[in-house]
Amino acid sequence: MRWDAQALTPARGNGSGNDADGTPAGSGRSSGTAPADALLPLLGLVRSVSTPEFAGITFHEVTAKSVLNKVVSGSRMPFEWTINPYRGCSHACVYCFARKSHTYLDFDAGLDFDSQVVVKINSAQVLRKELAKPSWGRQHVALGTNTDPYQRAEGRYQLMPGIIGALADSGTPLSILTKGTLLARDIPLLKHAAAQVPVGVGISLAMTDEHLSEAVEPGTPGPRARLKLVSRLREAGLPCGVMAMPILPWLSDSDDALDSLFGALAAAGATGVTAGALYLKPGTREWFMQWIAREHPQLAGKYRRLYGSGSYASKEYRAWLAGRIRYFKALHGFSGSHGFSHRDLDADPRDEEAQYPAGSIPQTAGHPGRTGNPAAPAAQPTLF
């Protein structure tokens, strides 16, 4: 079906006014039930599109003035720049940490995040102009830090090949974090890029239970499909770290579940693994707790007690989980890799946000003159 016939709003031309990472802001929308034409005030909106192929999802195509987003000062992230070609995510993970970011666009953090996806259709063109500026220092750029760049929409819009090509051609190291097996389409392109610049690849996978995965991350490829992707990346000679987050209390933290997870990751050839407990920041907490109350009412009280009024599980739980993860990592040959996100339980828990496993961050050794910090600890963020 031709998408041109599915436009819900008329083309509006190029707007100005962008949010911190280049997405036009200010739709004036306050609920998940407003019709698409309520989005007309969204600056930069070209059209809003829905098709039977993506039932229940509306894509809001916008033109962005900038796609390179500077990480806020003081962040613990091991990179300074990010690109998010999509805002909102059809993966619909009930635990997604990025949900609240959708409220910056006047969408809600619940159903809107899953079903109202903003697409920066001119990402590659704008990026090439930004990378060509004399001021660009070729610092590492991370993709997938907010929403997944290989969610289903990428199959239609195909923004990532242009973005990867632009970064590699400019000599800019890059990393990708995803749950999307559509990444396999771009393995040849990533191999070519890796011959030009340092490249890191990370896959988000925290469980092997297909039924649980379908329940908590219904729009994602299942665990078996992602394990196959890890193997394909490694067979292609590319690194692949795995973010085994979130581990869900009473749902995916049993010895059997952890043994299955780390065994499968070892068999797939993951270059490193980081694991950690569910993180419930505002926006995510409310949506996840509604899901728990509906799907696992017997656990609702336990979760309220475990998390109290904060975003992190209790120190006692994190200490227990850290011990189990260390045991199963060692059992399956990951003891040499950095990895539990709550490694220092007395430290600021936000330190976990700067944790990435080996392979997921580009290493600059062998690429003299490139920017980066090869001595930085492997680490993982609470991203998905």
Side-chain angles (χ1 to χ4, degrees):
M1 181 172 290
R2 294 186 63 223
W3 279 43
D4 286 347
Q6 304 303 310
L8 301 181
T9 60
R12 291 179 51 80
N14 296 347
S16 56
N18 297 66
D19 71 7
D21 80 346
T23 302
S27 70
R29 188 157 132 78
S30 59
S31 75
T33 59
D37 59 5
L39 282 162
L40 283 174
L42 182 68
L43 295 176
L45 179 67
V46 176
R47 62 177 182 171
S48 295
V49 178
S50 61
T51 72
E53 180 186 2
F54 295 91
I57 299 174
T58 300
F59 298 103
H60 305 290
E61 299 175 354
V62 301
T63 54
K65 292 181 67 178
S66 172
V67 294
L68 278 171
N69 179 45
K70 186 75 165 63
V71 176
V72 296
S73 177
S75 169
R76 293 168 171 80
M77 293 297 170
F79 44 78
E80 297 180 49
W81 297 91
T82 66
I83 296 174
N84 290 291
Y86 302 97
R87 297 290 296 273
C89 187
S90 61
H91 285 340
C93 303
V94 296
Y95 53 76
C96 181
F97 102 107
R99 287 186 171 276
K100 189 173 183 179
S101 68
H102 226 41
T103 64
Y104 308 154
L105 305 178
D106 289 336
F107 290 111
D108 69 48
L111 185 61
D112 279 356
F113 182 83
D114 302 339
S115 63
Q116 304 293 324
V117 178
V118 177
V119 185
K120 302 174 188 176
I121 57 175
N122 61 339
S123 292
Q125 299 93 319
V126 171
L127 178 61
R128 283 195 177 271
K129 292 179 180 178
E130 293 182 293
L131 298 175
K133 293 179 180 178
S135 59
W136 176 241
R138 296 179 176 83
Q139 297 97 330
H140 163 212
V141 173
L143 296 109
T145 61
N146 191 61
T147 55
D148 201 317
Y150 283 102
Q151 59 181 286
R152 285 185 61 213
E154 173 60 16
R156 162 65 193 183
Y157 288 101
Q158 301 185 47
L159 301 179
M160 287 297 288
I163 291 171
I164 293 169
L167 291 168
D169 290 347
S170 71
T172 300
L174 66 120
S175 65
I176 296 170
L177 173 62
T178 185
K179 288 183 176 137
T181 52
L182 184 58
L183 172 67
R185 177 200 68 192
D186 292 342
I187 285 178
L189 182 58
L190 285 169
K191 288 180 65 176
H192 180 72
Q196 300 172 271
V197 297
V199 170
V201 182
I203 302 299
S204 177
L205 176 59
M207 62 194 74
T208 57
D209 185 326
E210 297 281 339
H211 296 294
L212 179 60
S213 175
E214 185 176 358
V216 298
E217 43 193 31
T220 67
R224 283 191 297 269
R226 277 177 272 167
L227 286 167
K228 184 176 180 180
L229 176 61
V230 173
S231 296
R232 290 188 63 180
L233 287 162
R234 299 297 292 127
E235 290 165 1
L238 292 164
C240 184
V242 172
M243 282 74 163
M245 293 185 70
I247 304 298
L248 303 173
W250 299 291
L251 292 175
S252 64
D253 63 352
S254 69
D255 280 1
D256 285 347
L258 295 174
D259 186 36
S260 174
L261 175 63
F262 289 108
L265 295 177
T271 50
V273 184
T274 301
L278 175 68
Y279 172 53
L280 292 176
K281 67 182 296 185
T284 302
R285 180 189 177 97
E286 295 80 3
W287 191 247
F288 181 84
M289 288 300 194
Q290 288 177 30
W291 179 85
I292 280 288
R294 183 176 66 250
E295 301 296 330
H296 299 277
Q298 75 281 8
L299 296 180
K302 290 184 176 181
Y303 268 88
R304 286 193 296 269
R305 290 189 292 274
L306 183 64
Y307 282 84
S309 60
S311 300
Y312 297 90
S314 70
K315 181 177 178 179
E316 293 74 18
Y317 177 83
R318 289 185 283 123
W320 171 81
L321 184 59
R324 302 317 296 153
I325 287 175
R326 282 193 296 268
Y327 173 79
F328 286 109
K329 283 171 65 81
L331 182 64
H332 293 289
F334 290 114
S335 57
S337 66
H338 203 5
F340 184 68
S341 65
H342 301 282
R343 65 195 184 283
D344 183 351
L345 299 174
D346 293 319
D348 185 335
R350 291 176 300 171
D351 285 345
E352 75 179 85
E353 298 175 8
Q355 303 277 324
Y356 277 75
S360 62
I361 292 294
Q363 297 299 304
T364 57
H367 295 267
R370 306 261 195 247
T371 57
N373 182 10
Q380 176 212 350
T382 49
L383 295 180
F384 291 103

